[in-house]
């Protein structure tokens, strides 16, 4: 299992709710959380295998937000 961290453009729990469906149904993404108290609004994602980085970024973009490493 690998842990990935992203800076995000999320601002509140409503923003997190907007990305939740896309992240929850992503194959290979075992666990994720967003720290809204950090200055970078950090997403921590635990991935099982493979490179999901592009898929995570695309999921954010489809929801109208940004994520970057």
């Amino acid at each position: 299992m690998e842990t990935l961290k992203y800076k995000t453009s999320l601002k509140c729990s409503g923003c997190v709710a907007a990305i939740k469906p896309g992240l929850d149904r992503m194959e290979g993404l075992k666990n994720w959380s967003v720290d809204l108290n950090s200055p970078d609004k950090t997403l921590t994602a635990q991935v099982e295998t493979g490179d999901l980085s592009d898929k995570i970024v695309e999921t954010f973009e489809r929801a109208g937000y940004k994520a970057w490493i």
Side-chain angles (χ1 to χ4, degrees), residues 19-38:
I19 62 158
K20 183 178 181 354
L23 292 178
D24 283 349
R25 68 175 168 257
M26 190 176 296
E27 190 77 26
L29 180 58
K30 293 301 171 194
N31 189 19
W32 64 273
S33 63
V34 177
D35 182 0
L36 292 175
N37 293 319
S38 75

Side-chain angles (χ1 to χ4, degrees), residues 7 49 58:
K7 296 177 184 179
T49 57
E58 288 169 11

Side-chain angles (χ1 to χ4, degrees), residues 11-62:
K11 303 273 189 237
C12 65
S13 59
C15 300
V16 174
I19 62 158
K20 183 178 181 354
L23 292 178
D24 283 349
R25 68 175 168 257
M26 190 176 296
E27 190 77 26
L29 180 58
K30 293 301 171 194
N31 189 19
W32 64 273
S33 63
V34 177
D35 182 0
L36 292 175
N37 293 319
S38 75
D40 294 326
K41 312 302 187 213
T42 306
L43 166 73
T44 303
Q46 291 184 334
V47 297
E48 189 175 62
T49 57
D51 185 15
L52 293 180
S53 189
D54 290 340
K55 288 183 180 180
I56 291 171
V57 170
E58 288 169 11
T59 298
F60 269 75
E61 289 175 354
R62 279 195 304 270

